Amino acid sequence: MKICILGNSHLASLKQGWDQMQPVPDVSVQFFGSRQRGLQALDRVGTELRPRHAALARDLTFTSGGLDRIDLQNYDVFVLYGLMLGLPGLQQGWSAAVKQQACQDTLGRSLAGELLRKIRAASDRPIYLGHNPRPARRNQQALPAGSLNYPQVFELMRREVHALGATLLPQPEQTLEDNRWFTRSSYSTGSVRLDVGDRISAERHPDDDLEHMNADFGRLYMTRFLSDLRQPGQG
């Protein structure tokens, strides 16, 4: 099975985790990454995603180990990870229509949603979306009163992603705490910048960065994903 994973800065944890898992029989993973919204400059030409400028071509070549474009025909499964796809904060008292619209807006504004449409236009292979990891909790921060919790928001987002022909991946349950809304702080410690071959590559994030996760998180995420993928009816 050949898996293609595209992502931004959050991709670093998955790449580190995957490296720790080697060897994994019968599975190959090709990573393509660029920080922030870099992958927005991918244009679909036939069955390929091609970079619009040289800087993105360099990022793709470095993160993939030599490929400056993505031939969609070469992969069995696609994963779009991070890419500005967060989970919206939703209130219990809001109407179903408002909650749905908030989820649709979140997906529509994300780079993940944009790339999903480009890939789906040229491939019928399974596409999975992994939302940004939930941030680690700051001090004694708690889920705001009246807010929907992680399983409730995830289910609403899952429906919107499914409507576009893809599957939303949950964050591994063991990485979450406090009503499963925050990531355990142990998984945000020691995270590093996505390695694209420049001077800040693989540099450790500041200690107060609660958004990015480390290699332990990435290993758990990849392990959970592969386990689900191998279940009957998945992938």
Side-chain angles (χ1 to χ4, degrees):
M1 181 187 303
K2 297 183 67 173
I3 302 173
C4 176
I5 304 183
L6 294 81
N8 56 359
S9 58
H10 296 291
L11 189 68
S13 68
L14 265 57
K15 177 65 167 60
Q16 287 185 301
W18 176 247
D19 290 345
Q20 289 183 359
M21 294 166 61
Q22 299 308 303
V24 178
D26 304 322
V27 176
S28 67
V29 176
Q30 190 87 63
F31 293 90
F32 293 93
S34 186
R35 300 186 190 119
Q36 300 181 339
R37 285 188 172 270
L39 295 186
Q40 196 163 35
L42 280 174
D43 292 326
R44 185 180 68 80
V45 180
T47 60
E48 290 187 342
L49 296 180
R50 299 179 182 177
R52 200 176 302 150
H53 50 67
L56 178 55
R58 287 194 296 271
D59 286 355
L60 297 181
T61 300
F62 188 89
T63 53
S64 70
L67 302 176
D68 67 354
R69 61 189 62 186
I70 304 167
D71 188 341
L72 302 174
Q73 298 180 103
N74 290 339
Y75 303 99
D76 302 305
V77 175
F78 299 94
V79 179
L80 307 176
Y81 185 65
L83 299 168
M84 316 299 178
L85 181 61
L87 294 182
L90 304 177
Q91 290 292 306
Q92 295 174 3
W94 292 358
S95 69
V98 169
K99 293 172 187 171
Q100 181 181 30
Q101 188 63 57
C103 291
Q104 290 176 350
D105 290 346
T106 298
L107 181 58
R109 287 193 298 265
S110 72
L111 180 53
E114 183 178 329
L115 288 173
L116 163 60
R117 290 180 173 85
K118 289 180 180 178
I119 295 174
R120 183 52 80 219
S123 174
D124 60 359
R125 303 287 168 78
I127 304 174
Y128 294 84
L129 267 61
H131 61 75
N132 291 350
R134 296 300 309 155
R137 185 165 58 174
R138 188 180 299 280
N139 300 322
Q140 297 305 309
Q141 182 183 10
L143 180 66
S147 298
L148 270 60
N149 61 24
Y150 179 85
Q152 293 169 319
V153 178
F154 178 86
E155 174 57 23
L156 294 173
M157 281 294 291
R158 185 196 65 77
R159 296 177 190 174
E160 300 307 320
V161 172
H162 180 74
L164 296 180
T167 301
L168 184 64
L169 295 172
Q171 183 169 327
E173 186 171 349
Q174 64 266 48
T175 67
L176 294 164
E177 65 174 350
D178 195 5
N179 212 9
R180 292 189 278 174
W181 191 245
F182 298 102
T183 297
R184 296 181 185 278
S185 59
S186 60
Y187 293 108
S188 69
T189 303
S191 67
V192 300
R193 300 183 191 279
L194 178 65
D195 188 355
V196 294
D198 63 7
R199 65 177 179 79
I200 63 171
S201 283
E203 183 179 272
R204 180 170 169 149
H205 284 116
D207 290 341
D208 62 353
D209 185 314
L210 305 178
E211 308 289 333
H212 294 90
M213 302 302 146
N214 58 27
D216 290 340
F217 179 95
R219 179 171 45 77
L220 285 171
Y221 197 103
M222 291 297 295
T223 300
R224 165 70 189 270
F225 170 62
L226 291 179
S227 175
D228 288 352
L229 198 60
R230 287 167 167 151
Q231 297 299 314
Q234 300 290 319

